[in-house]
């Protein structure tokens, strides 16, 4: 009984149960709709793990989600709800395209400048929410939602500018190849590469037919940096103290307003990093006119929630999301079931994660019953 109580109190238990319930509800819905759940999930897992290039595609899809989830998790650790990740992601993409197209530089310096531009654009965008809360007490949820739409329409406006708009299209010019983060980008299309890929067809399938890039490595480094910042530095202690109790932090001499602005700026920079890596690493390396939000930022909220706002947890959560998003296409193509069922699975997982506080309550109830039975004995 005591072991069960310990298991129920662990955050990982809630996540595992939530994932299982998500797939279970998805199976029920597939069955009611007339599809075989076993065949659908077999297609899902086959579409993710059957070929090395599919695994790489999952990693590519997961990279921006890891970073947007990290952005949400960082802000939440410091007492703020960064629902404006979507707009910050867009601003990062705009900054990356401007630096990537307008500033000719040699590689790899150009890539570094593009990423810094993306992080600065998005960091400043995020700091607006922090400033408005610190100065006027306006809740960051309200301002960040407004800024999401402003960023979308600013993106569309930028594409109309003559120096950036590609003729006969609804998109900008592509960034220069010197700013790409594609793995072996310059070499893999050369004459020297052809005999190599003929001898190694699996590598050729992975490298030539995917947008394999260095983004996942940078994302993992960003996770490590944020974890270190939060847990091993004085500034991280101040930020977490403000998140736990800003009144107590202020009483202890911590500048609460300044740390609010810093927190949202860092969260915005992480979202901008995601946008910058998406532009530098994935075709078509440009921004396009948006009618709706792409969803990277909103999915990041779910990633952070499933990860329990743990920086390292965002890696696993982001990979889970990437696998579900990529595998959803296999369900539709192989079974004929609508790919939207994966969105239902994700929604149920998030729903049960949000209800994870029920498990410790069950553990407490079991503990009380155990004590009562011991007294009766």
């Amino acid at each position: 009984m005591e072991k069960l109580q310990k298991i129920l109190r662990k955050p990982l238990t809630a996540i595992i149960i939530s994932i299982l319930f998500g797939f279970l509800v998805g199976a029920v819905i597939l069955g009611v709709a007339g599809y075989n759940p076993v065949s659908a999930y077999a297609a899902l897992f086959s579409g993710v793990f059957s070929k090395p290039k599919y695994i790489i595609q999952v990693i590519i899809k997961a990279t921006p989600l890891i970073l947007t989830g990290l952005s949400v998790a960082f802000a939440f650790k410091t007492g703020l709800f960064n629902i404006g990740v979507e707009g910050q992601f867009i601003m990062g993409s705009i900054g990356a395209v401007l630096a990537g197209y307008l500033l000719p530089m040699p590689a790899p310096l150009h890539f570094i400048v593009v990423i810094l531009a993306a992080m600065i654009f998005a960091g400043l965008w995020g700091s607006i929410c922090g400033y408005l809360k610190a100065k006027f007490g306006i809740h960051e949820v309200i301002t960040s939602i407004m800024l999401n739409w402003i960023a979308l329409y600013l993106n569309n406006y930028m594409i109309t500018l003559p120096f950036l708009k590609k003729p006969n299209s609804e998109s900008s010019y592509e960034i220069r190849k010197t700013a790409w983060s594609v793995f072996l980008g310059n070499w893999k299309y050369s004459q020297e590469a052809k005999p190599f890929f003929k001898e190694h067809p699996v590598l050729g399938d992975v490298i030539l037919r995917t947008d394999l890039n260095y983004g996942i490595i940078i994302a993992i480094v960003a996770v490590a940096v944020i974890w270190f910042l939060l847990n091993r530095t004085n500034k991280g202690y101040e930020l977490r103290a403000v998140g736990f109790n800003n009144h107590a932090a202020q009483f202890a001499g911590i500048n609460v307003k300044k740390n609010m602005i810093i927190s949202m700026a860092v969260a915005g920079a992480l979202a901008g990093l995601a946008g910058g890596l998406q532009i530098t690493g994935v075709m078509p390396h440009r921004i396009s006119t948006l009618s709706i939000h792409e969803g990277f930022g909103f999915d990041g909220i779910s990633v952070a929630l499933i990860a329990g706002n743990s920086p390292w947890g965002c890696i696993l959560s982001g990979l889970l999301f990437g696998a579900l998003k990529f595998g959803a296409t296999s369900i539709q193509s192989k079974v004929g079931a609508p790919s939207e069922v994966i969105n239902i699975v994700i929604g149920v997982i998030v729903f049960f994660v949000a209800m994870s506080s029920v498990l410790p309550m069950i553990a407490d109830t079991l503990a009380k019953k155990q004590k009562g039975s011991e007294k009766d004995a």
Side-chain angles (χ1 to χ4, degrees):
M1 185 68 75
E2 291 182 1
K3 288 184 178 179
L4 177 60
Q5 294 169 24
K6 289 180 180 179
I7 292 172
L8 289 173
R9 287 192 174 96
K10 290 183 178 180
L12 182 61
T13 303
I15 294 171
I16 293 173
I17 291 175
S18 300
I19 293 171
L20 291 175
F21 268 106
F23 280 103
L24 180 61
V25 172
V28 171
I29 292 172
L30 283 167
V32 170
Y35 300 100
N36 187 332
V38 177
S39 300
Y41 285 147
L44 171 68
F45 289 108
S46 174
V48 172
F49 298 109
S50 60
K51 292 183 180 180
K53 71 175 182 179
Y54 294 161
I55 298 174
I56 296 300
Q57 293 285 22
V58 168
I59 292 173
I60 293 169
K61 278 190 172 293
T63 299
L65 298 177
I66 292 170
L67 289 168
T68 54
L70 183 63
S71 173
V72 176
F74 175 82
F76 198 84
K77 287 281 188 182
T78 61
L80 298 169
F81 186 19
N82 183 21
I83 203 172
V85 189
E86 188 73 30
Q88 294 150 18
F89 180 93
I90 293 172
M91 292 304 296
S93 301
I94 293 172
V97 167
L98 289 174
Y101 173 66
L102 298 177
L103 301 177
M105 291 182 183
L109 176 62
H110 199 187
F111 168 73
I112 296 172
V113 171
V114 166
I115 292 300
L116 288 175
M119 295 179 71
I120 291 170
F121 268 59
L124 291 173
W125 200 252
S127 67
I128 296 173
C129 298
Y131 175 79
L132 291 174
K133 179 162 187 176
K135 185 71 174 177
F136 304 106
I138 305 173
H139 202 283
E140 69 275 10
V141 169
I142 297 173
T143 54
S144 57
I145 289 175
M146 301 285 286
L147 287 170
N148 281 342
W149 288 102
I150 295 171
L152 184 145
Y153 291 118
L154 179 60
N155 173 90
N156 293 350
Y157 169 73
M158 294 296 295
I159 295 171
T160 65
L161 300 178
F163 70 89
L164 197 60
K165 178 180 172 63
K166 190 173 183 178
N168 303 317
S169 74
E170 292 298 323
S171 60
S172 69
Y173 286 102
E174 294 82 4
I175 64 171
R176 299 172 189 268
K177 288 187 177 181
T178 49
W180 289 13
S181 60
V182 178
F183 186 69
L184 300 177
N186 293 326
W187 178 78
K188 68 181 182 180
Y189 297 116
S190 65
Q191 293 297 324
E192 294 81 4
K194 289 183 178 179
F196 175 82
F197 289 132
K198 284 183 179 179
E199 294 177 7
H200 305 85
V202 175
L203 284 177
D205 201 33
V206 168
I207 296 174
L208 291 175
R209 298 185 180 180
T210 71
D211 289 319
L212 179 62
N213 61 77
Y214 301 103
I216 186 63
I217 299 173
I218 297 172
I220 293 171
V221 170
V223 167
V225 169
I226 292 301
W227 177 87
F228 185 84
L229 171 65
L230 285 172
N231 298 283
R232 294 291 186 271
T233 66
N234 291 333
K235 177 53 68 176
Y237 172 79
E238 288 184 6
L239 291 169
R240 286 187 294 114
V242 171
F244 286 133
N245 191 323
N246 58 11
H247 298 294
Q250 190 169 11
F251 183 77
I254 297 174
N255 190 330
V256 173
K257 293 182 178 181
K258 178 182 176 182
N259 279 288
M260 282 182 181
I261 298 172
I262 291 174
S263 174
M264 288 302 296
V266 173
L270 290 169
L273 176 60
L277 290 175
Q278 192 72 3
I279 292 295
T280 58
V282 180
M283 290 290 286
H285 305 289
R286 65 190 182 195
I287 55 175
S288 301
T289 301
L290 299 173
S291 57
I292 58 172
H293 291 112
E294 294 178 288
F296 289 104
F298 296 125
D299 285 342
I301 297 172
S302 300
V303 168
L305 184 61
I306 293 175
N309 295 307
S310 163
W312 292 110
C314 287
I315 297 176
L316 298 176
S317 182
L319 288 170
L320 172 64
F321 261 66
L324 291 174
K325 292 284 187 181
F326 181 73
T329 57
S330 298
I331 289 182
Q332 190 166 25
S333 61
K334 295 181 180 179
V335 182
S339 59
E340 286 76 8
V341 72
I342 293 301
N343 292 329
I344 296 173
V345 172
I346 292 172
V348 173
I349 292 172
V350 173
F351 175 77
F352 278 102
V353 168
M355 292 181 63
S356 59
S357 59
V358 173
L359 295 180
M361 291 170 61
I362 295 173
D364 293 339
T365 303
L366 291 174
K368 288 178 182 178
K369 286 184 177 180
Q370 185 178 4
K371 286 181 181 179
S373 61
E374 288 175 357
K375 285 180 181 180
D376 294 337

